[in-house]
Amino acid sequence: MEMTFRWYGKEDPVTLEKIRQIPGMKGIVTAIYDIPVGEVWPLDKIQTLKAEIEKHGLELSVIESVPVHEDIKIGLPTREKYIENYKTTIKNLGEAGIPVVCYNFMPVFDWTRSSLDYELEDGSTALIFEEDVIEKMDPLTGELSLPGWDSSYEIEELQTLFDHYKQVDHEKLWENIGYFIKEIMPVAEASGVKMAIHPDDPPFDIFGLPRIITNKENLERFINLYDSPNNGLTMCSGSLGAVPENDFPDMLRYFGKKNRVNFVHARNVKLSGTRSFQESPHLSETGSIDMYEVIRAMKDFDYTGPIRPDHGRMIWGETGKPGYGLYDRALGATYLNGLWEAENKRRKY
Ligand code: DNO
């Protein structure tokens, strides 16, 4: 595996200088944040970003994310233009030598939590999802501020989107994702870019909007839409592991052996109900995911691709983007590296 770290660009208080000092850190996961969703990413902008990262002794390992325009997910006629743009972006990323692109197909909202700064017993704060709190939220009142939701829509835009999604049930969303995948994958293949769809987080419908990248059966259905290692997955332990039905290490091993795991997100979650959880430190004993089993699964298919410690808590007084401070994620990277070294050596001796 190749240890990587998410960096939010020049505005990020977690600088490349700091990231580089984390033991064993090899690569950066980032994006170009000032291009509107649906527009083409110009080659020179990608190259500038890459050069900046390489100047700091790191590699640009993954683009997370190239967002998919809602018109593609809804299946509007205007999707054609956005799909063409998406293809050009993939082509440009390939030309710049970017090996992996992460994206998702969640309607309207990306990852969603009910609170950003839930105080844990030890005084640290974490992101949590409580089903009963989310159920009482109405995205259309305008009072909703969602943690993972950077693109703020105007209320009227949101209303229009929700109206469109009335026609989009799970099967329609499958149809639309199938259409998109069949269009973009030949370009990804020709450009040498491995696509890695991120599972829905959390992996069930929210606010009445359908979600389909949620469990083993659906991931299988997804990879079968287009038979190619370029049509792969981001295996995110915290997203898929947020429901008790998903056995994350088993899924990871299964899709890894099929050569469809192009990126791994390692995060722990402590389940507090069938549809509620707290994000917890990476360490197995503090969450519901056995991180050693995750590492073992990756060894079982000799994973050489990128992995990043996903969200951390806020600890030691750090402030900043919830989930994306330096300290707890750095501890996560170190812990994962430790497990990996131990498992490697155990198998050799
Ligand atoms: C949360 C992230 C997601 C992820 C996108 C991928 O922290 O894992 O925001 O980047 O869903 O498209």
Side-chain angles (χ1 to χ4, degrees), residues 73-92:
K73 299 180 210 165
I74 298 167
L76 294 175
T78 38
R79 71 177 155 181
E80 302 305 337
K81 173 179 90 193
Y82 293 118
I83 291 176
E84 282 316 308
N85 287 354
Y86 207 96
K87 288 183 192 168
T88 310
T89 296
I90 293 178
K91 213 162 85 350
N92 290 347

Side-chain angles (χ1 to χ4, degrees), residues 6 64-65 103-104 106 110-111 198 265 308 311 324:
R6 193 174 203 178
E64 177 175 353
S65 304
Y103 66 106
N104 72 71
M106 290 177 249
D110 193 332
W111 59 292
H198 191 283
H265 282 182
R308 70 171 177 85
H311 306 170
Y324 285 97

Side-chain angles (χ1 to χ4, degrees), residues 120-183:
L120 303 176
E121 265 173 26
D122 62 5
S124 62
T125 57
L127 299 149
I128 61 165
F129 184 98
E130 288 171 309
E131 190 183 20
D132 49 335
V133 178
I134 293 280
E135 270 169 4
K136 285 187 209 105
M137 287 181 175
D138 179 359
L140 297 173
T141 60
E143 287 151 16
L144 189 69
S145 112
L146 287 173
W149 195 37
D150 318 306
S151 51
S152 34
Y153 292 98
E154 299 295 329
I155 278 301
E156 304 80 68
E157 284 177 281
L158 252 194
Q159 184 64 63
T160 312
L161 278 176
F162 267 78
D163 286 346
H164 279 308
Y165 273 108
K166 284 192 189 127
Q167 325 306 327
V168 184
D169 59 7
H170 295 88
E171 278 313 307
K172 187 77 192 151
L173 197 59
W174 276 114
E175 209 179 298
N176 295 343
I177 201 173
Y179 186 89
F180 173 66
I181 290 302
K182 284 176 191 118
E183 286 283 324

Side-chain angles (χ1 to χ4, degrees), residues 47 156 197 250:
Q47 283 164 335
E156 304 80 68
I197 197 167
D250 166 68

Side-chain angles (χ1 to χ4, degrees), residues 6 8 29 63-68 101-106 109-113 127 148-150 196-201 234 236 239 263 265 267 279 308 310-311 321-324:
R6 193 174 203 178
Y8 278 97
V29 176
I63 289 294
E64 177 175 353
S65 304
V66 180
V68 177
V101 171
C102 174
Y103 66 106
N104 72 71
F105 215 80
M106 290 177 249
F109 305 102
D110 193 332
W111 59 292
T112 309
R113 298 291 179 270
L127 299 149
W149 195 37
D150 318 306
I197 197 167
H198 191 283
D200 302 341
D201 182 6
T234 296
C236 175
S239 307
F263 189 24
H265 282 182
R267 165 160 55 89
E279 296 193 359
R308 70 171 177 85
D310 200 6
H311 306 170
K321 196 174 173 63
Y324 285 97

Side-chain angles (χ1 to χ4, degrees), residues 52-314:
E52 169 73 12
I53 290 167
E54 287 173 355
K55 208 170 75 194
H56 289 83
L58 293 159
E59 271 170 37
L60 176 43
S61 309
V62 181
I63 289 294
E64 177 175 353
S65 304
V66 180
V68 177
H69 197 277
E70 294 301 322
D71 291 10
I72 298 177
K73 299 180 210 165
I74 298 167
L76 294 175
T78 38
R79 71 177 155 181
E80 302 305 337
K81 173 179 90 193
Y82 293 118
I83 291 176
E84 282 316 308
N85 287 354
Y86 207 96
K87 288 183 192 168
T88 310
T89 296
I90 293 178
K91 213 162 85 350
N92 290 347
L93 290 169
E95 204 168 323
I98 310 297
V100 178
V101 171
C102 174
Y103 66 106
N104 72 71
F105 215 80
M106 290 177 249
V108 193
F109 305 102
D110 193 332
W111 59 292
T112 309
R113 298 291 179 270
S114 53
S115 167
L116 297 176
D117 53 1
Y118 179 80
E119 194 167 325
L120 303 176
E121 265 173 26
D122 62 5
S124 62
T125 57
L127 299 149
I128 61 165
F129 184 98
E130 288 171 309
E131 190 183 20
D132 49 335
V133 178
I134 293 280
E135 270 169 4
K136 285 187 209 105
M137 287 181 175
D138 179 359
L140 297 173
T141 60
E143 287 151 16
L144 189 69
S145 112
L146 287 173
W149 195 37
D150 318 306
S151 51
S152 34
Y153 292 98
E154 299 295 329
I155 278 301
E156 304 80 68
E157 284 177 281
L158 252 194
Q159 184 64 63
T160 312
L161 278 176
F162 267 78
D163 286 346
H164 279 308
Y165 273 108
K166 284 192 189 127
Q167 325 306 327
V168 184
D169 59 7
H170 295 88
E171 278 313 307
K172 187 77 192 151
L173 197 59
W174 276 114
E175 209 179 298
N176 295 343
I177 201 173
Y179 186 89
F180 173 66
I181 290 302
K182 284 176 191 118
E183 286 283 324
I184 65 158
M185 283 307 160
V187 179
E189 286 178 315
S191 312
V193 174
K194 289 189 169 173
M195 300 300 292
I197 197 167
H198 191 283
D200 302 341
D201 182 6
F204 44 83
D205 296 359
I206 51 163
F207 305 127
L209 298 164
R211 290 187 158 201
I212 53 178
I213 309 298
T214 52
N215 57 27
K216 191 173 181 179
E217 192 189 333
N218 286 351
L219 291 181
E220 178 83 23
R221 180 169 175 185
F222 173 78
I223 62 169
N224 289 332
L225 291 173
Y226 191 92
D227 187 17
S228 160
N230 295 71
N231 182 30
L233 310 166
T234 296
M235 289 301 288
C236 175
S237 60
S239 307
L240 291 165
V243 292
E245 313 81 274
N246 284 342
D247 176 347
F248 182 76
D250 166 68
M251 293 163 80
L252 177 59
R253 187 178 284 110
Y254 178 82
F255 293 108
K257 290 194 168 167
K258 291 187 167 225
N259 196 19
R260 294 304 185 100
V261 175
N262 291 341
F263 189 24
V264 176
H265 282 182
R267 165 160 55 89
N268 219 330
V269 280
K270 192 170 170 188
L271 305 191
S272 47
T274 52
R275 292 290 177 268
S276 297
F277 57 88
Q278 288 174 11
E279 296 193 359
S280 59
H282 289 79
L283 200 71
S284 305
E285 69 176 56
T286 53
S288 303
I289 310 248
D290 185 333
M291 233 13 116
Y292 175 60
E293 281 304 320
V294 171
I295 292 289
R296 240 164 55 98
M298 290 196 296
K299 268 312 290 177
D300 284 349
F301 62 94
D302 286 321
Y303 184 60
T304 54
I307 176 171
R308 70 171 177 85
D310 200 6
H311 306 170
R313 299 160 302 146
M314 282 299 178

